[in-house]
Structures are given as C-alpha cells and as structure tokens.
Amino acid sequence: MSNNSGLVSLQRSVKQLRFEADIRRIKVSQAATELKSFCLQNAHKDPLLMGVPSSDNPFRPPKSCALF
Amino acid sequence: MAAQPSDTLATLKTESETLKTKLEEERAKLHDVELHQVAEKTEALGQFVMKTRRTLKGHGNKVLCLDWCKDKRRIVSSSQDGKVIVWDAFTTNKEHAVTMPCTWVMACAYAPSGCAVACGGLDNKCSVYPLSLDKNENLAAKKKSVAMHTNYLSACCFTNSDMQILTSSGDGTCALWDVESGQMLQSFHGHAADVLCLDLAPSETGNTFVSGGCDKKSCVWDMRTGQCVQSFETHESDINSVRYYPSGDAFASGSDDATCRLYDLRADREVAIYSKESIIFGASSVDFSLSGRLLFGGYNDYTINVWDVLKGTRVSILFGHENRVSTLRVSPDGTAFCSGSWDHTLRIWA
C-alpha cells in the first residue's frame, strides 16, 4: 500500500518537473535590463526613494513657518 | 508480463533526477550575467533619512500581521492576543477592534472596498468582518466564516474584489474561496510543508500568485487551473514572506536563512541575494517601494534593512522596534511603510 502512494506522489512530481523543464525562459541579461528599466522609469514617482517635501507627505510633520 | 512496482519506482526516480538536472542546466544556460552587473553604471542611491513618524500602540501582545487599506491611511493589524484592530494611521486613532475566538491571529487583510477585513490564525479559519460605521455595533456579530483549513491560517488576501479570498495554511496548501458562499473554488497542492506566506500578482500580470513555505520552496500558481507553473528552491530555510516586484515580472522572498532573494519569472531563476555576514537573524517580512528600487526587510534582530534592489547593497538600517519585526507593508501610494513587531507596536516610517 505504501508503495502505491509513494508511486503516485513520484508520478506527480515527475509530471510537474516535465512541465517546469519545458517552460520558455529568457536570458538573465535581458530580464535584468528590463527590471532596471522599470526601476529607473518609475523612480520619479517613488516617494520613499525620492523623498517628498514634508508639506506633501501626510506622515511627515510640516515644518513650522519661521517669521523673521 | 505485469510491470514490477519496484521497477516503475526506480524508473521514476531516475527520471526525476534527470529532469531536475535538466532544469538546472536550462536555467544555467541563460545565466549570462548578474543583476548587479547590469546595474553597475546606474547612479548609486544617496543617504536615506527614514524615521518613525507614528507609533500605533494598543495591542496587548505580539503584532503578527498588518495590511493597508486602499485609502492609504487605514491599517488593519492582528495580534497574538486575539485582537484585530483597524487604525487611522494619520491620527493613530483606533477605529474598530474585534476580539477573535482564538489567539495567534497570524493573518489579516483589508478588503479592496475598505468595507471589510479578513483574519484568522490558530482557529484554522479565515473569517470576514464587515466594518460598520456605527462604532457601537458589535462587529463579531456579523462575522462570516469563509475558509476552513486543517491547520493554522498563515496568510490571507482578497483578490481584486471583496468576493474572493486567497489563503495559505500550515496544512501545506493554499486555497481560493468565494466569500459569499464559503465555497472553495480552487486548491493549490505542491508544498511539502507549512505554507507561510503568499502574494497576489499585480492585476496587470494576470491570475497568478506566489507562495513560500517551510519546505524552503517558493511556488508560482495559476489561479484558474490550480497548477504550480514555476518553483524555486534556493533558500536554505523557511520562507517567511514573498512579495511581487511592482512590474509583476519578479518577486522577492525573505527567509530564516537571514537572506532576501529576488527571482525573475521570465528568466526562471534567482537573480539577486540580499545578505551580509553581519545579518544572522531571519528576515520575517519584505516589501518593495513603488518603483521596485528599494526592498524593505523586517528582521528577527529587531531591525529593518533597506536594500538597493539593483545593486544588491544595503542602503540603510532602521532601528526602533524593541523586539522582532514580524510584518512590514509599504502604503498603497508609496509615501510610507508600516512595520509591526513582537514589541506590541506598529510603526509608520517615512
């Protein structure tokens, strides 16, 4: 009995491996370039990256006005 | 002549080994460069000044999970003490509080509409609570049990509507549920141990999600068919957190092996490791800034490390929590991130 369930599990695992071995892949150089492009294109919209003026960020206390 | 069971077992084992080798070879063939090499000429990031801007106090025990509302100001958090609290992060006021019938509420999520929250943990269930505008109303009365697992609920998240919830469990499976009927729409089998975390792909990318577990594997699943379409096994210990890169083409994971790693889905391999010899405690929770350039990692050594995703270097280390950081999420508009800790508090950083 235990042989059978081990067999079934192994059959499933082999089927899964066959599926995964066959998928289409691209080169890391291409994938990495696209990840980099995405970062750089969206950098200006990233508040935590660029920092936003205190007055625009609801979590940062606005700087108080100093009257000279 | 009938085939001997032992022959078939041996043949399958050989085929399994052959396929695993083939998989590694195919992946290696395309490994022509490292991500940080591609980013060599990219301008380095400057100094970051991120501070705690709000501290949310009120939980009576370890904070285990948190999620932001789409309105960018409300947060739901859950704790070991069985409480689920909804906060207004701007004012730090508590808007709702629910006491669950179990302790260790390990998972909580805000519904896309902002009108409900889902949570669960040691009760093996995921329940949905509609949020009432009437502060006096007993939320527990309207509770709806949606998911039933055979072990603890480790993570949950609504899909792109209030109508479906994705769950992961200590029983080794993930499942997709219809909230209204409580029916299981799809189940996801493939992990060999507890599944600890999951993340839904950004909507433009289609119907997939990623999960990570105690079997050191992360798996990408097709939500419609239940099939695992890609899997990665490079971590050396439990994977506590997985989060998609904003474009949907990659995801990051944080593990008890003290590293965070980046996997590109189209190259089908790990493309970066974020680690330092001085970091020896597990990473419990990870999330990206809006552009994907920064990766925030909450660690069991009470700190938050901020990584330059492209260059692989650490750009900042944030101190403040007085115990493990257990959960961390960037706000929907990227202006801040929130961390939850075993020190009973949540902190908003900006």
Side-chain angles (χ1 to χ4, degrees):
Chain A
M1 257 328 203
S2 57
N3 250 356
N4 248 348
S5 67
L7 197 65
V8 168
S9 153
L10 203 50
Q11 278 171 335
R12 256 195 233 132
S13 158
V14 165
K15 189 176 173 197
Q16 180 64 28
L17 282 167
R18 275 194 208 131
F19 176 88
E20 289 186 26
D22 271 348
I23 70 167
R24 278 223 218 106
R25 296 175 188 84
I26 65 173
K27 285 194 187 164
V28 175
S29 50
Q30 189 193 337
T33 305
E34 295 188 24
L35 287 177
K36 184 179 81 167
S37 302
F38 184 89
C39 272
L40 300 178
Q41 276 162 23
N42 290 287
H44 66 282
K45 293 190 250 175
D46 187 338
L48 285 168
L49 186 66
M50 307 304 311
V52 291
S54 299
S55 48
D56 289 349
N57 188 326
F59 292 107
R60 285 198 184 184
K63 293 194 164 66
S64 47
C65 291
L67 295 170
F68 293 105
Chain B
M1 188 172 88
Q4 298 283 348
S6 54
D7 284 341
T8 323
L9 208 62
T11 324
L12 283 174
K13 278 196 179 144
T14 316
E15 192 178 353
S16 172
E17 290 312 306
T18 314
L19 284 168
K20 280 188 188 160
T21 310
K22 182 185 174 196
L23 194 54
E24 275 176 43
E25 282 172 2
E26 291 299 312
R27 282 174 169 166
K29 273 187 207 166
L30 300 164
H31 187 197
D32 52 347
V33 80
E34 298 293 335
L35 174 59
H36 64 82
Q37 290 171 302
V38 167
E40 234 159 30
K41 304 244 172 67
T42 308
E43 209 181 308
L45 298 173
Q47 279 285 7
F48 279 93
V49 179
M50 271 175 223
K51 292 190 199 157
T52 301
R53 305 292 174 176
R54 302 281 191 283
T55 304
L56 306 179
K57 294 186 185 175
H59 276 297
N61 212 321
K62 308 176 174 65
V63 177
L64 302 174
C65 190
L66 78 92
D67 191 19
W68 287 86
C69 176
K70 284 212 163 104
D71 72 359
K72 312 157 213 166
R73 75 184 274 171
R74 283 173 181 78
I75 290 177
V76 62
S77 62
S78 62
S79 164
Q80 183 192 341
D81 68 357
K83 289 244 176 19
V84 174
I85 299 178
V86 175
W87 314 79
D88 176 333
F90 289 179
T91 62
T92 75
N93 288 340
K94 298 177 203 33
E95 296 202 337
H96 303 276
V98 175
T99 305
M100 291 281 285
C102 66
T103 56
W104 288 91
V105 188
M106 293 171 245
C108 64
Y110 229 116
S113 67
C115 298
V117 293
C119 52
L122 284 188
D123 58 353
N124 299 359
K125 293 193 229 174
C126 184
S127 307
V128 175
Y129 291 85
L131 295 175
S132 168
L133 290 171
D134 176 1
K135 301 285 158 77
N136 292 322
E137 190 171 355
N138 180 12
L139 289 185
K142 294 247 170 96
K143 163 180 162 174
K144 193 183 206 111
S145 275
V146 174
M148 272 298 297
H149 278 279
T150 54
N151 208 326
Y152 64 90
L153 187 82
S154 53
C156 62
C157 97
F158 285 85
T159 59
N160 51 17
S161 80
D162 284 20
M163 301 285 81
Q164 291 180 355
I165 286 189
L166 203 51
T167 58
S168 64
S169 167
D171 66 15
T173 72
C174 299
L176 181 67
W177 309 81
D178 176 87
V179 173
E180 192 56 49
S181 63
Q183 219 193 350
M184 186 194 285
L185 299 170
Q186 187 61 260
S187 68
F188 307 89
H189 297 257
H191 278 286
D194 305 23
V195 187
L196 298 179
C197 51
L198 60 83
D199 191 32
L200 202 56
S203 40
E204 312 80 54
T205 327
N207 291 350
T208 60
F209 73 96
V210 61
S211 64
C214 291
D215 56 357
K216 313 176 201 170
K217 245 179 20 172
S218 48
C219 297
V220 180
W221 306 88
D222 179 323
M223 279 165 71
R224 276 167 295 202
T225 63
Q227 161 129 53
C228 167
V229 295
Q230 283 171 278
S231 68
F232 306 90
E233 214 166 340
T234 63
H235 272 294
E236 294 167 19
S237 188
D238 298 0
I239 297 175
N240 300 312
S241 175
V242 286
R243 191 73 64 214
Y244 271 92
Y245 185 76
S247 71
D249 291 329
F251 70 90
S253 55
S255 161
D256 275 351
D257 68 8
T259 71
C260 296
R261 296 177 196 234
L262 186 70
Y263 299 88
D264 187 289
L265 295 174
R266 285 152 335 133
D268 186 40
R269 62 171 298 123
E270 174 190 292
V271 293
I273 306 184
Y274 308 100
S275 66
K276 268 179 117 60
E277 265 183 43
S278 54
I279 301 175
I280 57 173
F281 284 82
S284 62
S285 190
V286 296
D287 203 356
F288 288 100
S289 70
L290 226 57
S291 66
R293 183 68 191 268
L294 299 175
L295 180 69
F296 299 97
Y299 289 73
N300 292 341
D301 63 2
Y302 314 177
T303 68
I304 293 166
N305 288 298
V306 186
W307 302 92
D308 178 331
V309 169
L310 300 181
K311 291 190 181 281
T313 53
R314 179 175 66 186
V315 295
S316 194
I317 176 168
L318 303 174
F319 300 96
H321 278 297
E322 295 167 15
N323 207 319
R324 292 192 186 193
V325 178
S326 52
T327 177
L328 186 158
R329 296 296 290 267
V330 171
S331 73
D333 62 354
T335 51
F337 70 90
C338 183
S339 58
S341 163
W342 281 19
D343 71 7
H344 309 186
T345 71
L346 290 104
R347 283 171 181 251
I348 315 271
W349 307 78

